[in-house]
Amino acid sequence: MDTERTSVQQASRILVTRRLPSSVLAKLEAAGGVDLYSGDAAIAPDELRARVADKNALVSLLTDAIDRTVIDAAPELKVIANVAVGFNNIDVAYATSRGVVVTHTPDVLTESVADFTWALILAITRRLAEGERVVRSGAWKGWALDFMLGTELNGKQLGLVGVGRIGRAVAARAPVFGMRVVYTEPRDVDLPGAENVSLDRLLNTSDIVSLHVPLLPETRHLIDKKSLARMKRSAYLINTARGPVVDEAALAWALQHHLLAGAALDVYENEPAVHPELLKLDNVLLVPHLASATTETRTAMADLAAENVLAVLAGRPALTPVVLSQR
Ligand code: DGY
């Protein structure tokens, strides 16, 4: 291993676009020269192109657009290691055509994102954020039998749009809350007790609709005016996947017209901006892309990205390469 790290070190020039946990940075530094962008916001595209030019590894965040211009600016680049399971910020097809390996961080965030999905489901159906606002504003007049009533989950249906690793982990928690599960996927998956149904039927019959698809051309605005209008008026929409899977303007319209009971969003079309109409509504819970945000998970994500860099620079296969057909 030491010999391997030394030989990696001689050749390695690694650009890291945002501060990482110190243990992870130390691991990369032991393997080569690290150029760390330490700004608080995402690195500007021009600076990214300039700093990646002489690098052979790039550790990127989901806030960095790694497009053709970035890849073309780095003729010696061997690996792009995204610290995220999603990789819609990277032109993977172009990187692959240029012989650059792209990696991501599956598995290590599955449980924390699944927990967070349930936190959102409980919070929106039991009106936690709304209740907190009432208490903090001093508007609470005291306990009343019919005050701020929510909706129970027991006996209801959870509809999962996409059942990859995270969707399956969300499904695994459903029996605890007494919910039955339906899902929509092109092929059946091994999910005991859950039924594979069309998107139309899922939207029509589910009490909670939770999104777990990657952002691809075919999933952009998958939830639009038409699909929102198919949902039960008593149903809730949960999005921990990617913002552009939902047409935010359509969602604001549907919530204003009470076509659904509410929505809980962790991700947005143009982060960190949120559609101004959503900000005015009480029946939508808005949180800032936190689903994987635990110390343990974020450290594990950064560590996996570093291990991918080390593997590729040492001439070994990447641990978790992006496979373009994957869902
Ligand atoms: C991911 O890894 O894609 C998540 O969105 C990060 O929170």
Side-chain angles (χ1 to χ4, degrees), residues 233-298:
R233 283 184 174 250
S234 55
Y236 295 85
L237 177 72
I238 314 294
N239 190 7
T240 53
R242 280 291 182 266
V245 175
V246 176
D247 177 344
E248 266 176 24
L251 177 61
W253 167 85
L255 288 167
Q256 281 158 350
H257 291 85
H258 301 285
L259 297 190
L260 64 164
L265 307 177
D266 184 42
V267 287
Y268 304 89
E269 279 199 78
N270 300 298
E271 294 179 15
V274 177
H275 194 288
E277 292 303 315
L278 289 176
L279 294 171
K280 296 180 194 162
L281 296 170
D282 251 342
N283 54 349
V284 59
L285 173 66
L286 306 166
V287 289
H289 206 147
L290 293 178
S292 67
T294 64
T295 306
E296 296 89 335
T297 291
R298 289 285 168 86

Short mmCIF file of all heavy atoms in Angstrom, two decimals, residues 233-298:
data_model
loop_
_atom_site.label_atom_id
_atom_site.label_comp_id
_atom_site.label_asym_id
_atom_site.label_seq_id
_atom_site.Cartn_x
_atom_site.Cartn_y
_atom_site.Cartn_z
N ARG A 233 -56.90 14.44 -3.54
CA ARG A 233 -56.89 15.77 -2.89
C ARG A 233 -56.38 15.68 -1.46
O ARG A 233 -55.92 16.67 -0.89
CB ARG A 233 -58.28 16.39 -2.92
CG ARG A 233 -58.58 16.95 -4.31
CD ARG A 233 -59.92 17.66 -4.37
NE ARG A 233 -60.05 18.27 -5.69
CZ ARG A 233 -60.02 19.59 -5.91
NH1 ARG A 233 -59.87 20.43 -4.93
NH2 ARG A 233 -60.13 20.05 -7.14
N SER A 234 -56.43 14.48 -0.89
CA SER A 234 -55.96 14.30 0.49
C SER A 234 -54.49 13.86 0.54
O SER A 234 -53.95 13.61 1.62
CB SER A 234 -56.81 13.23 1.17
OG SER A 234 -56.78 12.05 0.37
N ALA A 235 -53.83 13.76 -0.63
CA ALA A 235 -52.48 13.17 -0.67
C ALA A 235 -51.38 14.21 -0.47
O ALA A 235 -51.59 15.41 -0.62
CB ALA A 235 -52.28 12.45 -2.00
N TYR A 236 -50.18 13.69 -0.15
CA TYR A 236 -49.00 14.53 0.06
C TYR A 236 -47.89 14.09 -0.89
O TYR A 236 -47.71 12.89 -1.13
CB TYR A 236 -48.50 14.39 1.50
CG TYR A 236 -49.47 14.90 2.53
CD1 TYR A 236 -50.50 14.07 2.99
CD2 TYR A 236 -49.38 16.18 3.03
CE1 TYR A 236 -51.41 14.53 3.93
CE2 TYR A 236 -50.28 16.66 3.97
CZ TYR A 236 -51.29 15.83 4.42
OH TYR A 236 -52.19 16.28 5.34
N LEU A 237 -47.13 15.06 -1.38
CA LEU A 237 -45.99 14.78 -2.26
C LEU A 237 -44.70 15.04 -1.49
O LEU A 237 -44.56 16.09 -0.85
CB LEU A 237 -46.04 15.70 -3.49
CG LEU A 237 -44.86 15.56 -4.46
CD1 LEU A 237 -44.97 14.24 -5.25
CD2 LEU A 237 -44.83 16.75 -5.43
N ILE A 238 -43.75 14.10 -1.58
CA ILE A 238 -42.47 14.24 -0.88
C ILE A 238 -41.36 14.18 -1.93
O ILE A 238 -41.33 13.24 -2.75
CB ILE A 238 -42.24 13.06 0.12
CG1 ILE A 238 -43.49 12.79 0.97
CG2 ILE A 238 -41.00 13.30 0.97
CD1 ILE A 238 -43.89 13.86 1.93
N ASN A 239 -40.43 15.14 -1.91
CA ASN A 239 -39.32 15.08 -2.88
C ASN A 239 -37.98 15.21 -2.17
O ASN A 239 -37.60 16.26 -1.68
CB ASN A 239 -39.44 16.18 -3.94
CG ASN A 239 -38.44 15.97 -5.08
OD1 ASN A 239 -37.75 14.95 -5.14
ND2 ASN A 239 -38.36 16.94 -5.99
N THR A 240 -37.25 14.07 -2.12
CA THR A 240 -35.87 14.09 -1.64
C THR A 240 -34.93 13.69 -2.78
O THR A 240 -33.76 13.37 -2.53
CB THR A 240 -35.66 13.09 -0.47
OG1 THR A 240 -36.12 11.81 -0.90
CG2 THR A 240 -36.39 13.52 0.78
N ALA A 241 -35.45 13.67 -4.02
CA ALA A 241 -34.64 13.17 -5.15
C ALA A 241 -33.86 14.32 -5.77
O ALA A 241 -32.74 14.63 -5.33
CB ALA A 241 -35.55 12.48 -6.15
N ARG A 242 -34.44 14.95 -6.77
CA ARG A 242 -33.83 16.13 -7.38
C ARG A 242 -34.95 17.12 -7.70
O ARG A 242 -36.03 16.71 -8.16
CB ARG A 242 -33.07 15.77 -8.66
CG ARG A 242 -31.69 15.18 -8.43
CD ARG A 242 -30.72 16.22 -7.88
NE ARG A 242 -29.37 15.71 -7.67
CZ ARG A 242 -28.91 15.22 -6.51
NH1 ARG A 242 -29.69 15.16 -5.46
NH2 ARG A 242 -27.66 14.81 -6.41
N GLY A 243 -34.68 18.40 -7.51
CA GLY A 243 -35.71 19.42 -7.67
C GLY A 243 -36.41 19.38 -9.01
O GLY A 243 -37.66 19.41 -9.08
N PRO A 244 -35.65 19.33 -10.13
CA PRO A 244 -36.31 19.43 -11.43
C PRO A 244 -37.21 18.24 -11.80
O PRO A 244 -37.87 18.27 -12.84
CB PRO A 244 -35.13 19.53 -12.41
CG PRO A 244 -33.99 20.07 -11.58
CD PRO A 244 -34.18 19.45 -10.23
N VAL A 245 -37.25 17.21 -10.95
CA VAL A 245 -38.22 16.13 -11.20
C VAL A 245 -39.65 16.69 -11.04
O VAL A 245 -40.61 16.20 -11.63
CB VAL A 245 -37.97 14.93 -10.24
CG1 VAL A 245 -39.04 13.86 -10.40
CG2 VAL A 245 -36.58 14.34 -10.50
N VAL A 246 -39.78 17.75 -10.24
CA VAL A 246 -41.08 18.40 -10.03
C VAL A 246 -41.08 19.76 -10.72
O VAL A 246 -40.13 20.53 -10.58
CB VAL A 246 -41.34 18.59 -8.52
CG1 VAL A 246 -42.64 19.35 -8.28
CG2 VAL A 246 -41.37 17.25 -7.80
N ASP A 247 -42.14 20.05 -11.43
CA ASP A 247 -42.34 21.39 -11.98
C ASP A 247 -42.84 22.26 -10.82
O ASP A 247 -44.00 22.16 -10.41
CB ASP A 247 -43.37 21.30 -13.12
CG ASP A 247 -43.71 22.66 -13.72
OD1 ASP A 247 -43.39 23.69 -13.08
OD2 ASP A 247 -44.30 22.67 -14.81
N GLU A 248 -41.95 23.09 -10.28
CA GLU A 248 -42.27 23.85 -9.06
C GLU A 248 -43.44 24.82 -9.27
O GLU A 248 -44.26 25.00 -8.37
CB GLU A 248 -41.06 24.65 -8.59
CG GLU A 248 -40.24 23.91 -7.56
CD GLU A 248 -38.98 24.66 -7.14
OE1 GLU A 248 -38.91 25.89 -7.26
OE2 GLU A 248 -38.05 23.96 -6.70
N ALA A 249 -43.51 25.44 -10.44
CA ALA A 249 -44.61 26.38 -10.69
C ALA A 249 -45.93 25.61 -10.68
O ALA A 249 -46.94 26.06 -10.12
CB ALA A 249 -44.41 27.09 -12.03
N ALA A 250 -45.91 24.41 -11.28
CA ALA A 250 -47.13 23.58 -11.31
C ALA A 250 -47.50 23.14 -9.90
O ALA A 250 -48.68 23.11 -9.54
CB ALA A 250 -46.91 22.37 -12.21
N LEU A 251 -46.50 22.82 -9.09
CA LEU A 251 -46.78 22.39 -7.72
C LEU A 251 -47.40 23.53 -6.92
O LEU A 251 -48.37 23.33 -6.19
CB LEU A 251 -45.49 21.89 -7.04
CG LEU A 251 -45.65 21.48 -5.58
CD1 LEU A 251 -46.65 20.33 -5.42
CD2 LEU A 251 -44.30 21.09 -4.96
N ALA A 252 -46.84 24.73 -7.08
CA ALA A 252 -47.41 25.88 -6.35
C ALA A 252 -48.87 26.07 -6.76
O ALA A 252 -49.75 26.25 -5.90
CB ALA A 252 -46.59 27.14 -6.64
N TRP A 253 -49.14 25.97 -8.05
CA TRP A 253 -50.51 26.11 -8.56
C TRP A 253 -51.42 25.04 -7.96
O TRP A 253 -52.52 25.32 -7.48
CB TRP A 253 -50.46 26.03 -10.10
CG TRP A 253 -51.79 25.86 -10.75
CD1 TRP A 253 -52.67 26.84 -11.08
CD2 TRP A 253 -52.39 24.61 -11.14
NE1 TRP A 253 -53.79 26.28 -11.66
CE2 TRP A 253 -53.63 24.92 -11.71
CE3 TRP A 253 -51.98 23.27 -11.07
CZ2 TRP A 253 -54.49 23.93 -12.21
CZ3 TRP A 253 -52.83 22.29 -11.55
CH2 TRP A 253 -54.06 22.63 -12.12
N ALA A 254 -50.93 23.79 -7.96
CA ALA A 254 -51.76 22.68 -7.46
C ALA A 254 -52.03 22.83 -5.96
O ALA A 254 -53.13 22.54 -5.49
CB ALA A 254 -51.06 21.35 -7.74
N LEU A 255 -51.04 23.31 -5.21
CA LEU A 255 -51.24 23.50 -3.77
C LEU A 255 -52.20 24.66 -3.50
O LEU A 255 -53.05 24.58 -2.61
CB LEU A 255 -49.89 23.75 -3.07
CG LEU A 255 -48.97 22.52 -2.96
CD1 LEU A 255 -47.56 22.95 -2.57
CD2 LEU A 255 -49.50 21.50 -1.95
N GLN A 256 -52.04 25.72 -4.30
CA GLN A 256 -52.97 26.87 -4.15
C GLN A 256 -54.41 26.45 -4.40
O GLN A 256 -55.33 26.94 -3.77
CB GLN A 256 -52.59 27.99 -5.14
CG GLN A 256 -51.41 28.84 -4.70
CD GLN A 256 -50.73 29.54 -5.87
OE1 GLN A 256 -51.01 29.26 -7.04
NE2 GLN A 256 -49.80 30.42 -5.56
N HIS A 257 -54.58 25.52 -5.35
CA HIS A 257 -55.94 25.08 -5.70
C HIS A 257 -56.37 23.82 -4.93
O HIS A 257 -57.38 23.21 -5.27
CB HIS A 257 -56.04 24.85 -7.22
CG HIS A 257 -55.96 26.14 -7.99
ND1 HIS A 257 -54.76 26.70 -8.34
CD2 HIS A 257 -56.92 26.98 -8.42
CE1 HIS A 257 -54.99 27.84 -8.97
NE2 HIS A 257 -56.28 28.04 -9.03
N HIS A 258 -55.58 23.45 -3.93
CA HIS A 258 -55.89 22.30 -3.07
C HIS A 258 -56.15 21.01 -3.86
O HIS A 258 -57.02 20.22 -3.53
CB HIS A 258 -57.07 22.62 -2.13
CG HIS A 258 -56.76 23.80 -1.27
ND1 HIS A 258 -55.91 23.75 -0.19
CD2 HIS A 258 -57.12 25.11 -1.37
CE1 HIS A 258 -55.77 24.94 0.34
NE2 HIS A 258 -56.50 25.80 -0.36
N LEU A 259 -55.36 20.84 -4.93
CA LEU A 259 -55.47 19.58 -5.69
C LEU A 259 -54.79 18.45 -4.94
O LEU A 259 -54.97 17.28 -5.25
CB LEU A 259 -54.82 19.73 -7.07
CG LEU A 259 -55.46 20.75 -8.01
CD1 LEU A 259 -54.89 20.63 -9.40
CD2 LEU A 259 -56.98 20.56 -8.05
N LEU A 260 -53.93 18.81 -3.98
CA LEU A 260 -53.35 17.83 -3.06
C LEU A 260 -53.29 18.52 -1.70
O LEU A 260 -53.43 19.75 -1.59
CB LEU A 260 -51.99 17.33 -3.52
CG LEU A 260 -50.80 18.27 -3.62
CD1 LEU A 260 -49.50 17.47 -3.71
CD2 LEU A 260 -50.89 19.14 -4.86
N ALA A 261 -53.07 17.70 -0.64
CA ALA A 261 -53.15 18.29 0.71
C ALA A 261 -51.88 19.04 1.08
O ALA A 261 -51.93 20.01 1.83
CB ALA A 261 -53.42 17.18 1.72
N GLY A 262 -50.75 18.58 0.56
CA GLY A 262 -49.51 19.24 0.95
C GLY A 262 -48.31 18.62 0.27
O GLY A 262 -48.42 17.61 -0.44
N ALA A 263 -47.14 19.23 0.50
CA ALA A 263 -45.90 18.71 -0.07
C ALA A 263 -44.77 19.02 0.89
O ALA A 263 -44.82 20.00 1.64
CB ALA A 263 -45.62 19.36 -1.43
N ALA A 264 -43.77 18.15 0.87
CA ALA A 264 -42.55 18.39 1.66
C ALA A 264 -41.38 18.25 0.70
O ALA A 264 -41.20 17.22 0.04
CB ALA A 264 -42.45 17.39 2.79
N LEU A 265 -40.58 19.31 0.62
CA LEU A 265 -39.50 19.35 -0.38
C LEU A 265 -38.15 19.54 0.30
O LEU A 265 -37.97 20.44 1.13
CB LEU A 265 -39.72 20.52 -1.35
CG LEU A 265 -41.09 20.61 -2.03
CD1 LEU A 265 -41.15 21.87 -2.89
CD2 LEU A 265 -41.36 19.37 -2.86
N ASP A 266 -37.19 18.71 -0.12
CA ASP A 266 -35.80 18.88 0.33
C ASP A 266 -34.94 19.44 -0.79
O ASP A 266 -33.83 19.90 -0.55
CB ASP A 266 -35.26 17.51 0.77
CG ASP A 266 -33.86 17.59 1.36
OD1 ASP A 266 -33.61 18.54 2.14
OD2 ASP A 266 -33.01 16.73 1.05
N VAL A 267 -35.45 19.38 -2.02
CA VAL A 267 -34.67 19.74 -3.21
C VAL A 267 -35.51 20.63 -4.11
O VAL A 267 -36.75 20.56 -4.09
CB VAL A 267 -34.21 18.47 -3.97
CG1 VAL A 267 -33.12 17.73 -3.21
CG2 VAL A 267 -35.39 17.52 -4.21
N TYR A 268 -34.84 21.46 -4.92
CA TYR A 268 -35.52 22.52 -5.67
C TYR A 268 -34.97 22.60 -7.09
O TYR A 268 -33.83 22.20 -7.35
CB TYR A 268 -35.33 23.85 -4.92
CG TYR A 268 -35.82 23.71 -3.50
CD1 TYR A 268 -34.96 23.26 -2.49
CD2 TYR A 268 -37.16 23.91 -3.20
CE1 TYR A 268 -35.43 23.04 -1.20
CE2 TYR A 268 -37.65 23.69 -1.91
CZ TYR A 268 -36.78 23.25 -0.92
OH TYR A 268 -37.26 23.01 0.34
N GLU A 269 -35.77 23.21 -7.95
CA GLU A 269 -35.37 23.30 -9.36
C GLU A 269 -34.11 24.13 -9.54
O GLU A 269 -33.27 23.82 -10.37
CB GLU A 269 -36.50 23.92 -10.19
CG GLU A 269 -37.56 22.93 -10.57
CD GLU A 269 -38.39 23.42 -11.73
OE1 GLU A 269 -37.90 23.33 -12.88
OE2 GLU A 269 -39.51 23.89 -11.49
N ASN A 270 -34.00 25.25 -8.81
CA ASN A 270 -32.86 26.15 -8.98
C ASN A 270 -32.23 26.48 -7.63
O ASN A 270 -32.24 27.62 -7.20
CB ASN A 270 -33.31 27.45 -9.66
CG ASN A 270 -33.91 27.17 -11.01
OD1 ASN A 270 -33.24 26.65 -11.91
ND2 ASN A 270 -35.20 27.48 -11.16
N GLU A 271 -31.71 25.46 -6.98
CA GLU A 271 -31.15 25.67 -5.63
C GLU A 271 -30.05 26.72 -5.65
O GLU A 271 -29.24 26.72 -6.59
CB GLU A 271 -30.59 24.35 -5.10
CG GLU A 271 -31.69 23.33 -4.87
CD GLU A 271 -31.17 21.99 -4.36
OE1 GLU A 271 -30.00 21.91 -3.90
OE2 GLU A 271 -31.94 21.03 -4.42
N PRO A 272 -29.97 27.61 -4.67
CA PRO A 272 -30.79 27.63 -3.46
C PRO A 272 -32.08 28.45 -3.59
O PRO A 272 -32.74 28.69 -2.58
CB PRO A 272 -29.85 28.27 -2.44
CG PRO A 272 -29.02 29.23 -3.24
CD PRO A 272 -28.85 28.60 -4.60
N ALA A 273 -32.44 28.85 -4.81
CA ALA A 273 -33.70 29.60 -4.96
C ALA A 273 -34.89 28.65 -4.82
O ALA A 273 -34.81 27.49 -5.20
CB ALA A 273 -33.74 30.29 -6.31
N VAL A 274 -35.97 29.18 -4.28
CA VAL A 274 -37.21 28.41 -4.16
C VAL A 274 -38.30 29.22 -4.85
O VAL A 274 -38.32 30.46 -4.74
CB VAL A 274 -37.57 28.20 -2.67
CG1 VAL A 274 -38.90 27.47 -2.52
CG2 VAL A 274 -36.46 27.43 -1.96
N HIS A 275 -39.19 28.57 -5.56
CA HIS A 275 -40.25 29.29 -6.26
C HIS A 275 -40.98 30.22 -5.28
O HIS A 275 -41.45 29.76 -4.22
CB HIS A 275 -41.23 28.30 -6.89
CG HIS A 275 -42.13 28.91 -7.89
ND1 HIS A 275 -43.16 29.76 -7.54
CD2 HIS A 275 -42.14 28.86 -9.24
CE1 HIS A 275 -43.78 30.18 -8.63
NE2 HIS A 275 -43.17 29.64 -9.68
N PRO A 276 -41.09 31.51 -5.59
CA PRO A 276 -41.66 32.45 -4.61
C PRO A 276 -43.07 32.10 -4.17
O PRO A 276 -43.46 32.36 -3.03
CB PRO A 276 -41.63 33.80 -5.36
CG PRO A 276 -41.30 33.50 -6.77
CD PRO A 276 -40.63 32.16 -6.82
N GLU A 277 -43.86 31.47 -5.04
CA GLU A 277 -45.24 31.12 -4.65
C GLU A 277 -45.24 30.01 -3.59
O GLU A 277 -46.15 29.95 -2.75
CB GLU A 277 -46.05 30.68 -5.87
CG GLU A 277 -46.33 31.80 -6.86
CD GLU A 277 -47.06 32.99 -6.22
OE1 GLU A 277 -48.03 32.76 -5.47
OE2 GLU A 277 -46.63 34.15 -6.44
N LEU A 278 -44.24 29.14 -3.63
CA LEU A 278 -44.18 28.08 -2.62
C LEU A 278 -43.90 28.67 -1.24
O LEU A 278 -44.41 28.19 -0.22
CB LEU A 278 -43.08 27.06 -2.97
CG LEU A 278 -43.33 26.14 -4.16
CD1 LEU A 278 -42.12 25.27 -4.44
CD2 LEU A 278 -44.56 25.26 -3.92
N LEU A 279 -43.08 29.73 -1.24
CA LEU A 279 -42.71 30.35 0.05
C LEU A 279 -43.92 30.94 0.78
O LEU A 279 -43.89 31.11 1.99
CB LEU A 279 -41.67 31.45 -0.18
CG LEU A 279 -40.30 30.98 -0.69
CD1 LEU A 279 -39.44 32.16 -1.09
CD2 LEU A 279 -39.59 30.15 0.38
N LYS A 280 -44.99 31.23 0.03
CA LYS A 280 -46.16 31.85 0.64
C LYS A 280 -47.13 30.83 1.24
O LYS A 280 -48.09 31.21 1.89
CB LYS A 280 -46.93 32.65 -0.42
CG LYS A 280 -46.16 33.81 -1.01
CD LYS A 280 -47.04 34.49 -2.06
CE LYS A 280 -46.23 35.44 -2.92
NZ LYS A 280 -46.94 35.78 -4.16
N LEU A 281 -46.91 29.55 0.94
CA LEU A 281 -47.93 28.55 1.29
C LEU A 281 -47.63 27.85 2.60
O LEU A 281 -46.48 27.53 2.89
CB LEU A 281 -48.01 27.50 0.17
CG LEU A 281 -48.47 28.02 -1.19
CD1 LEU A 281 -48.27 26.95 -2.26
CD2 LEU A 281 -49.94 28.42 -1.11
N ASP A 282 -48.69 27.60 3.38
CA ASP A 282 -48.53 26.89 4.65
C ASP A 282 -48.53 25.38 4.48
O ASP A 282 -48.02 24.66 5.34
CB ASP A 282 -49.70 27.27 5.58
CG ASP A 282 -49.21 28.15 6.72
OD1 ASP A 282 -47.98 28.17 6.97
OD2 ASP A 282 -50.05 28.81 7.34
N ASN A 283 -49.13 24.91 3.36
CA ASN A 283 -49.24 23.46 3.20
C ASN A 283 -48.05 22.86 2.44
O ASN A 283 -48.14 21.81 1.82
CB ASN A 283 -50.56 23.07 2.52
CG ASN A 283 -50.78 23.80 1.20
OD1 ASN A 283 -50.05 24.74 0.87
ND2 ASN A 283 -51.79 23.34 0.46
N VAL A 284 -46.90 23.54 2.50
CA VAL A 284 -45.68 22.96 1.94
C VAL A 284 -44.57 23.16 2.96
O VAL A 284 -44.41 24.23 3.54
CB VAL A 284 -45.33 23.57 0.55
CG1 VAL A 284 -45.13 25.06 0.58
CG2 VAL A 284 -44.09 22.89 -0.04
N LEU A 285 -43.82 22.07 3.19
CA LEU A 285 -42.69 22.10 4.12
C LEU A 285 -41.42 22.20 3.28
O LEU A 285 -41.22 21.40 2.37
CB LEU A 285 -42.71 20.81 4.94
CG LEU A 285 -41.53 20.54 5.87
CD1 LEU A 285 -41.49 21.57 6.99
CD2 LEU A 285 -41.66 19.15 6.47
N LEU A 286 -40.58 23.18 3.60
CA LEU A 286 -39.40 23.46 2.77
C LEU A 286 -38.14 23.32 3.62
O LEU A 286 -37.99 24.05 4.60
CB LEU A 286 -39.49 24.88 2.20
CG LEU A 286 -40.78 25.20 1.42
CD1 LEU A 286 -40.91 26.71 1.20
CD2 LEU A 286 -40.79 24.47 0.09
N VAL A 287 -37.27 22.40 3.25
CA VAL A 287 -35.99 22.27 3.97
C VAL A 287 -34.84 22.29 2.96
O VAL A 287 -35.03 21.98 1.78
CB VAL A 287 -35.96 20.99 4.86
CG1 VAL A 287 -36.87 21.15 6.05
CG2 VAL A 287 -36.31 19.76 4.07
N PRO A 288 -33.64 22.71 3.41
CA PRO A 288 -32.54 23.00 2.48
C PRO A 288 -31.63 21.81 2.14
O PRO A 288 -30.49 21.75 2.60
CB PRO A 288 -31.77 24.10 3.21
CG PRO A 288 -31.98 23.80 4.66
CD PRO A 288 -33.33 23.15 4.79
N HIS A 289 -32.09 20.89 1.32
CA HIS A 289 -31.29 19.77 0.79
C HIS A 289 -30.46 19.10 1.90
O HIS A 289 -29.23 19.10 1.87
CB HIS A 289 -30.38 20.26 -0.35
CG HIS A 289 -30.04 19.15 -1.31
ND1 HIS A 289 -29.85 19.33 -2.66
CD2 HIS A 289 -29.83 17.81 -1.12
CE1 HIS A 289 -29.55 18.19 -3.25
NE2 HIS A 289 -29.54 17.25 -2.32
N LEU A 290 -31.19 18.54 2.86
CA LEU A 290 -30.55 18.01 4.07
C LEU A 290 -30.60 16.48 4.18
O LEU A 290 -30.12 15.94 5.18
CB LEU A 290 -31.25 18.57 5.32
CG LEU A 290 -31.11 20.06 5.60
CD1 LEU A 290 -31.91 20.43 6.85
CD2 LEU A 290 -29.64 20.42 5.80
N ALA A 291 -31.20 15.81 3.20
CA ALA A 291 -31.53 14.39 3.42
C ALA A 291 -30.32 13.54 3.81
O ALA A 291 -30.43 12.62 4.61
CB ALA A 291 -32.22 13.80 2.21
N SER A 292 -29.14 13.85 3.28
CA SER A 292 -27.96 13.04 3.63
C SER A 292 -27.09 13.74 4.68
O SER A 292 -25.97 13.30 4.95
CB SER A 292 -27.12 12.75 2.38
OG SER A 292 -26.55 13.97 1.88
N ALA A 293 -27.62 14.83 5.25
CA ALA A 293 -26.76 15.69 6.08
C ALA A 293 -26.64 15.20 7.52
O ALA A 293 -27.18 15.81 8.45
CB ALA A 293 -27.27 17.13 6.03
N THR A 294 -25.94 14.10 7.72
CA THR A 294 -25.50 13.73 9.06
C THR A 294 -23.97 13.70 9.01
O THR A 294 -23.39 13.48 7.93
CB THR A 294 -26.00 12.34 9.50
OG1 THR A 294 -25.42 11.34 8.65
CG2 THR A 294 -27.52 12.25 9.44
N THR A 295 -23.35 13.90 10.14
CA THR A 295 -21.88 13.88 10.18
C THR A 295 -21.36 12.55 9.65
O THR A 295 -20.43 12.50 8.84
CB THR A 295 -21.40 14.11 11.63
OG1 THR A 295 -22.00 15.31 12.10
CG2 THR A 295 -19.89 14.23 11.72
N GLU A 296 -22.02 11.47 10.10
CA GLU A 296 -21.54 10.15 9.70
C GLU A 296 -21.64 9.96 8.18
O GLU A 296 -20.71 9.50 7.53
CB GLU A 296 -22.39 9.06 10.39
CG GLU A 296 -22.29 9.02 11.91
CD GLU A 296 -23.32 9.92 12.59
OE1 GLU A 296 -23.80 10.90 11.98
OE2 GLU A 296 -23.65 9.64 13.76
N THR A 297 -22.80 10.33 7.63
CA THR A 297 -23.02 10.07 6.20
C THR A 297 -22.17 10.98 5.33
O THR A 297 -21.55 10.53 4.35
CB THR A 297 -24.52 10.22 5.86
OG1 THR A 297 -25.20 9.14 6.49
CG2 THR A 297 -24.77 10.16 4.37
N ARG A 298 -22.11 12.27 5.66
CA ARG A 298 -21.32 13.17 4.81
C ARG A 298 -19.84 12.79 4.85
O ARG A 298 -19.13 12.89 3.84
CB ARG A 298 -21.55 14.62 5.22
CG ARG A 298 -22.95 15.13 4.86
CD ARG A 298 -23.08 15.42 3.37
NE ARG A 298 -24.45 15.64 2.95
CZ ARG A 298 -25.10 16.83 3.01
NH1 ARG A 298 -24.48 17.91 3.48
NH2 ARG A 298 -26.34 16.92 2.59
#
